[in-house]
Amino acid sequence: MKAKSSENAKTGSEAARVRGSGAQKVYQALRQSILDLTLDPGSPLDEVTLSEQFQMSRTPIREALVRLVAEGLAKTLPNRNTVVATIDFAQLPVYFEALTLMYRVTTRAAAVHRSPEQIADIRKFEAVYADAVARRDALAMIQSNRDFHVAIAEAGGNSYFTGLFARLLDEGRRILRIYYRSFDDTLPQQYVEEHSLMVQAIEAGDAERADALAAGHAAQIVKQIQSYINRETVSKIAL
């Protein structure tokens, strides 16, 4: 009897692992398509259709969708259908204002409070980002850029700033994808070097320069995104 119970428990554990592996596979595939804008904002994420597409039961599909909703990349509607989260372009000015402030305050704070170990972490993410840019891997650029700036925020020593900045960076992943797309994923080297200059200012403990560099870095990103969106809007109207 005990042997049978043990066997059933083992079978259940294996099934859970398989389901978890399936959910992870679906999550990663959908997440990449959403971040890469292959799946347009507002696109339906129907469990039945996805179950057929991935040749899985609806349970791992549902688990993957729950994770995407938690990240803000998908949204559950009142009718319980799930869709790719929309991008509220009308709120972009407010978003950019908050993002710019966090760039500045976290970089300034890092210049004041950083430790040698934290500088090493920041430089590690700087190198990962530079490599992603060289490979024109937009999704890797988005992730490593996030890791780089969160590491700077952590060096600043204010957990509230770090949490807010991380949330803003996560919410803006698709906006940043638009930014890289505006360069055809070939980011000019000068923008890569901006990261290096910020690290130098942080390491030197120069809070004023760190602040100024962060403000300039944020400003060029905002300007480039706004310009690209305006061009795309004009192009669609012309068509």
Side-chain angles (χ1 to χ4, degrees), residues 61-81:
I61 302 295
R62 192 174 299 117
E63 291 178 5
L65 294 181
V66 167
R67 290 183 64 183
L68 292 170
V69 169
E71 286 190 13
L73 294 175
K75 182 178 181 180
T76 302
L77 302 177
N79 61 8
R80 303 190 72 177
N81 289 335

Side-chain angles (χ1 to χ4, degrees), residues 93-126:
V94 177
Y95 172 79
F96 287 144
E97 182 179 5
L99 186 70
T100 299
L101 177 61
M102 284 299 100
Y103 267 114
R104 295 183 60 184
V105 73
T106 56
T107 308
R108 170 182 279 274
V112 176
H113 300 291
R114 80 278 180 254
S115 69
E117 293 78 16
Q118 289 168 326
I119 290 293
D121 285 340
I122 293 169
R123 286 201 176 279
K124 178 183 69 176
F125 291 122
E126 177 196 357

Side-chain angles (χ1 to χ4, degrees), residues 12-52:
S13 177
E14 289 175 349
R17 280 201 300 272
V18 171
R19 186 174 68 247
S21 174
Q24 179 68 11
K25 177 182 177 181
V26 175
Y27 162 76
Q28 290 179 335
L30 291 178
R31 185 174 184 272
Q32 177 167 330
S33 296
I34 292 171
L35 290 177
D36 199 32
L37 299 176
T38 303
L39 277 174
D40 292 329
S43 297
L45 296 171
D46 178 65
E47 288 184 14
V48 175
T49 302
L50 292 173
S51 178
E52 294 174 354

